[in-house]
Amino acid sequence: MNEALKTNFHTHTIFCDGKNTPEENVLSAIKKGMTRLGFSAHSLYPFSLEGNLNHTQHGAYSEEIRHLQKKYADKIQIFLGFEADFIPGFCSPRFENFAEFNPDFLIGSVHFIPTEKRPLAVDNKPAILADGIRDVFDGDVQKAVGCYFSLQREMLLHGDFTILGHADLIRKFNGTLHLFDENDAWYKAEVEATAKATAKAGVIAEINTGAISRGYMTSPYPSDYFLSRLFAYHVPIMINSDAHNADALDCAFDLAAERAKKAGYKEVALLAADGIQFSAL
């Protein structure tokens, strides 16, 4: 396995909704022969929400990751990050918002669609998404999906982060719910616009295998079509597992690499102490 498949920069621990401690993840990564590991606790800083870092935990989390960074420096490169949510007027993935913790990287993600009625979680459970679209959007699936991608593009326009998280998370339950057809012209137009916005923002798009390890999907985010559009706009990619347990740190990386090559990619981006590096697939 080459360097491109020995790294993961999307890792969750017991500090948010993960199952293992940071150190258990480090030891698992070393055992798997991984060379770089990035921690990315869910955060709506400066606010708190179940499944995310409590606003008072950010310092303790950061100190723990820095401690492990030094403790295992001779075995693996460790990076401190946050998966920062974008909710307009509430929280945003910008380095200035996390300045006191001096993170090495930020993942910008959209997990919620805010509406006048209530926020709609797009990746909680299939029934929650289906009921939410029925209640909040009066059953208008196209409007709900359009709002999700519109939020992605707003985040890309106004955010300041390193990695775009699971760019088409909205399709996580589509295989079960069959809410929309990904081949429809309107859906492809949303993907096209978002790929273009990703390129303009100058961020890295991840191929995320998290839904595979948790049994929701059999293929990674983003879709093959989305990945092909990212390639067309010269958007760099990286392969991440979005691991919520230490055993899943390198889940389905071979499949992710296969999809990347199919789209035309020959290399992936890696975080490094001095910036971004690239490794051949």
Side-chain angles (χ1 to χ4, degrees):
M1 189 183 290
N2 61 22
E3 175 85 4
L5 303 184
K6 289 184 177 181
T7 66
N8 175 57
F9 303 102
H10 195 151
T11 310
H12 298 289
T13 73
I14 57 173
F15 273 99
C16 53
D17 60 348
K19 306 300 182 186
N20 295 96
T21 66
E23 188 159 23
E24 286 171 341
N25 278 280
V26 171
L27 294 174
S28 178
I30 293 170
K31 185 176 180 180
K32 289 173 178 290
M34 301 182 80
T35 61
R36 309 183 199 200
L37 181 65
F39 288 94
S40 54
H42 286 293
S43 174
L44 283 79
Y45 194 72
F47 302 99
S48 302
L49 184 70
E50 184 179 358
N52 290 254
L53 277 170
N54 183 286
H55 74 281
T56 64
Q57 292 179 304
H58 286 67
Y61 161 76
S62 300
E63 289 175 8
E64 175 66 8
I65 303 309
R66 293 302 187 196
H67 165 69
L68 295 173
Q69 197 175 49
K70 294 177 181 178
K71 181 176 180 179
Y72 293 98
D74 61 335
K75 294 181 173 66
I76 189 170
Q77 294 182 63
I78 295 174
F79 298 83
L80 167 65
F82 297 90
E83 183 177 12
D85 251 272
F86 176 67
I87 303 176
F90 190 71
C91 54
S92 181
R94 295 189 57 81
F95 276 98
E96 63 186 10
N97 295 341
F98 294 84
E100 63 186 289
F101 312 113
N102 194 27
D104 300 312
F105 70 101
L106 293 178
I107 298 175
S109 294
V110 173
H111 293 96
F112 303 94
I113 302 174
T115 73
E116 292 182 359
K117 288 187 176 180
R118 59 181 172 84
L120 173 59
V122 301
D123 73 331
N124 191 309
K125 294 179 180 178
I128 289 177
L129 178 61
D131 291 346
I133 291 176
R134 206 161 35 241
D135 176 41
V136 176
F137 290 95
D138 297 320
D140 190 335
V141 174
Q142 184 174 338
K143 183 177 180 182
V145 173
C147 282
Y148 168 79
F149 280 115
S150 178
L151 285 167
Q152 290 261 27
R153 294 192 291 271
E154 187 178 350
M155 177 180 70
L156 287 160
L157 179 63
H158 298 295
D160 172 28
F161 54 95
T162 320
I163 303 162
L164 173 62
H166 36 58
D168 52 3
L169 182 65
I170 193 68
R171 52 187 282 272
K172 177 177 180 177
F173 303 128
N174 202 38
T176 301
L177 299 174
H178 308 291
L179 293 171
F180 55 91
D181 187 340
E182 294 179 32
N183 291 312
D184 282 348
W186 68 265
Y187 184 82
K188 286 189 170 182
E190 294 287 355
V191 168
E192 181 76 15
T194 307
K196 188 181 295 185
T198 306
K200 188 173 182 179
V203 300
I204 300 164
E206 66 172 7
I207 300 181
N208 181 312
T209 64
I212 298 176
S213 64
R214 292 189 287 282
Y216 291 111
M217 298 173 68
T218 58
S219 61
Y221 312 108
S223 66
D224 287 350
Y225 177 72
F226 203 151
L227 200 54
S228 72
R229 301 318 300 150
L230 291 169
F231 178 75
Y233 287 108
H234 310 290
V235 175
I237 59 163
M238 65 169 44
I239 295 173
N240 287 333
S241 63
D242 195 352
H244 284 66
N245 70 75
D247 290 337
L249 286 172
D250 56 356
C251 173
F253 273 17
D254 287 338
L255 175 60
E258 177 186 315
R259 295 301 178 91
K261 291 176 183 177
K262 180 181 177 183
Y265 284 98
K266 291 180 170 51
E267 61 182 11
V268 297
L270 306 176
L271 300 184
D274 57 353
I276 305 297
Q277 296 177 348
F278 288 89
S279 177
L281 279 168

